[in-house]
């Protein structure tokens, strides 16, 4: 119930406006959000790099309503890529296609992706996956970019029934995949609703990716799944540099340390920007215990 409540709030405009302009918000978001500016985010990436952790920068924002806004998002990402390059950071960028105008003009959106990929070193652009309304269009753009040699990483969500077929398609095209469980509230017509079923599908898809994928990213904080990835990689003699783990900034820092200490690659998803509200609410939805963390910070 809490999950549905926070997912509902994540789309509530009034609460969002209040939260984003509230002077106390920094107090409870700083654990999960790097800051409001690119400079804040690059500083976090540099600190993580010193700990042997790579990062992917997410300039927060979703669903722009004009081509100009989409171009401004693209430019923010081009600046992020330039900042990463200038500071020699082991970082990529992660972008949502609705930020680059997917709802307005699919070809224009592809062009924005191409400009980013052309500017970046190979493998530096990752495309997040949004709700199932966008799955076909998002994978279509990743494929069209790959056909023009601008290979970008795309995301597959283990909760969708279709994901096995999508992974096979991405593997055939050697498009790198980030596998996650899925963060949106999807109906039973398209997605598994029980955690047990999602986890079972995740494990099966993860093994397919480890065997046949192009440098896959295993994105989860699930200790049992991460343990199974270690075990499977050892069993199949898959070297630690053939894949990477990905986790969210501020979540399960104990497990993050353990992954790096064991000699595996870890990249953290580092969000920054002023439009942090929907991202933040999705993190609360995933783990209501985070609300306690938030409240504790507010009372400090
Ligand atoms: C790098 C990365 C990129 C992602 N990109 C996308 C994307 O493009 N599209 C998309 O739909 N989703 C994305 N997600 C989110 C993902 O789909 C899940 O919603 C999220 O990762 C929680 O699932 P889990 O795999 O950690 O497993 P869960 O079963 O939810 O959690 C397993 C354990 O992880 C810990 N945990 C999980 N979430 C939290 C939290 N918020 N706070 C504290 N502890 C927590 C807890 O210990 C929990 O018991 C991404 C996740 C990561 C890590």
């Amino acid at each position: 119930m809490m999950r549905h409540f926070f997912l509902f709030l994540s789309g509530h405009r009034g609460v969002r406006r209040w939260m984003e302009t509230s002077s106390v918000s920094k107090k409870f978001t700083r654990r999960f959000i790097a800051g409001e500016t690119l400079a804040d985010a690059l500083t976090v990436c540099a600190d993580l790099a010193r700990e042997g952790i790579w990062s992917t920068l997410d300039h927060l924002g979703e669903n722009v309503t004009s081509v100009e806004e989409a171009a401004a998002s693209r430019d923010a990402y081009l600046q992020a890529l330039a900042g990463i390059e200038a500071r020699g950071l082991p970082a990529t960028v992660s972008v949502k296609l609705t930020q680059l105008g997917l709802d307005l003009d699919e070809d224009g959106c592809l062009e924005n992706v191409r400009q980013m990929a052309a500017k970046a070193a190979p493998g530096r652009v990752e495309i997040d996956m949004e709700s199932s309304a966008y799955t076909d269009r998002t994978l279509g753009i990743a494929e069209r970019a790959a056909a023009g040699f601008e290979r970008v990483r795309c995301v597959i969500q283990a909760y969708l029934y279709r994901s096995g077929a999508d992974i096979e398609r991405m593997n055939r095209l050697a498009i790198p995949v980030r596998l996650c469980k899925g963060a949106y509230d999807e109906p039973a017509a398209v997605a598994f609703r029980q955690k047990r079923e999602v986890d079972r599908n995740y494990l099966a898809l993860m093994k397919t990716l480890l065997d046949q994928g192009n440098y896959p990213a295993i994105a989860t904080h699930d200790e049992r799944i991460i343990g199974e990835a270690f075990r499977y990689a050892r069993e199949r003699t898959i070297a630690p540099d053939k894949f990477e783990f990905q986790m969210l900034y501020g979540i399960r820092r104990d497990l993050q340390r353990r992954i790096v200490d064991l000699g595996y690659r870890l990249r953290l998803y580092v969000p920054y920007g002023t439009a942090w509200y929907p991202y933040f609410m999705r993190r609360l939805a995933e783990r209501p215990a985070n609300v306690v963390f938030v409240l504790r910070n507010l009372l400090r």
Side-chain angles (χ1 to χ4, degrees):
M1 235 186 60
M2 286 284 268
R3 176 165 188 262
H4 294 291
F5 175 64
F6 283 112
L7 286 177
F8 163 75
L9 281 187
S10 74
H12 195 290
R13 278 207 219 139
V15 180
R16 176 175 182 165
R17 203 172 316 114
W18 176 74
M19 291 270 281
E20 284 182 347
T21 52
S22 156
S23 57
V24 290
S25 58
K26 249 199 210 119
K27 260 185 137 175
F28 55 80
T29 57
R30 67 182 163 210
R31 161 98 180 245
F32 306 106
I33 316 285
E36 294 203 342
T37 66
L38 175 61
D40 294 335
L42 292 172
T43 300
V44 166
C45 290
D47 291 346
L48 290 171
R50 274 190 285 280
E51 294 177 40
I53 297 175
W54 298 352
S55 34
T56 184
L57 281 183
D58 169 29
H59 182 243
L60 291 165
E62 294 168 55
N63 296 76
V64 296
T65 52
S66 72
V67 174
E68 291 72 27
E69 278 177 354
S73 285
R74 178 206 58 213
D75 291 346
Y77 272 106
L78 290 174
Q79 277 172 19
L81 286 164
I84 288 168
E85 187 79 19
R87 296 184 62 169
L89 293 168
T92 62
V93 295
S94 283
V95 62
K96 289 185 176 44
L97 290 187
T98 54
Q99 267 178 284
L100 297 182
L102 182 60
D103 281 326
L104 307 166
D105 168 13
E106 209 167 313
D107 288 339
C109 178
L110 172 64
E111 185 47 38
N112 286 334
V113 170
R114 286 203 161 127
Q115 285 187 30
M116 286 169 56
K119 169 95 185 189
R124 280 264 165 91
V125 177
E126 314 197 26
I127 299 182
D128 288 347
M129 186 57 79
E130 301 175 70
S131 76
S132 59
Y134 296 105
T135 312
D136 275 327
R137 284 178 284 166
T138 304
L139 295 182
I141 286 196
E143 281 183 29
R144 286 165 71 194
F149 301 105
E150 289 110 352
R151 211 170 289 281
V152 292
R153 183 183 293 284
C154 70
V155 176
I156 302 287
Q157 297 154 321
Y159 63 15
L160 294 185
Y161 305 139
R162 57 177 286 168
S163 290
D166 287 337
I167 282 188
E168 273 184 30
R169 206 165 95 222
M170 296 302 121
N171 287 351
R172 256 198 320 275
L173 296 166
I175 294 177
V177 168
R178 171 201 300 159
L179 180 64
C180 68
K181 289 192 186 177
Y184 297 82
D185 201 7
E186 298 290 353
V190 297
F192 297 110
R193 304 274 299 173
Q194 300 295 323
K195 175 173 161 53
R196 194 169 17 95
E197 297 173 313
V198 178
D199 289 357
R200 196 184 316 122
N201 202 34
Y202 193 107
L203 284 168
L205 299 176
M206 176 183 86
K207 289 174 185 173
T208 305
L209 280 172
L210 287 171
D211 284 332
Q212 296 158 23
N214 176 12
Y215 191 65
I218 311 300
T220 183
H221 316 91
D222 192 321
E223 215 165 334
R224 200 175 63 85
I225 290 180
I226 291 170
E228 183 56 15
F230 293 154
R231 194 202 62 73
Y232 193 73
R234 270 197 308 269
E235 180 187 292
R236 313 282 282 202
T237 56
I238 299 165
D241 63 354
K242 295 290 181 225
F243 65 99
E244 66 183 42
F245 290 102
Q246 294 193 348
M247 296 173 75
L248 303 179
Y249 177 64
I251 293 180
R252 288 300 312 260
R253 289 183 285 199
D254 55 331
L255 190 52
Q256 293 175 7
R257 195 63 258 155
R258 228 182 305 152
I259 289 172
V260 175
D261 289 347
L262 284 169
Y264 287 93
R265 292 179 168 182
L266 174 68
R267 186 181 303 281
L268 292 194
Y269 189 96
V270 176
Y272 70 100
T274 50
W276 47 264
Y277 176 77
Y279 175 89
F280 179 71
M281 293 311 268
R282 281 201 294 277
R283 302 295 78 82
L284 295 189
E286 278 156 9
R287 191 150 165 83
N290 284 338
V291 179
V292 176
F293 161 82
V294 164
L295 291 176
R296 216 187 294 134
N297 267 355
L298 271 182
L299 295 174
R300 250 181 217 153

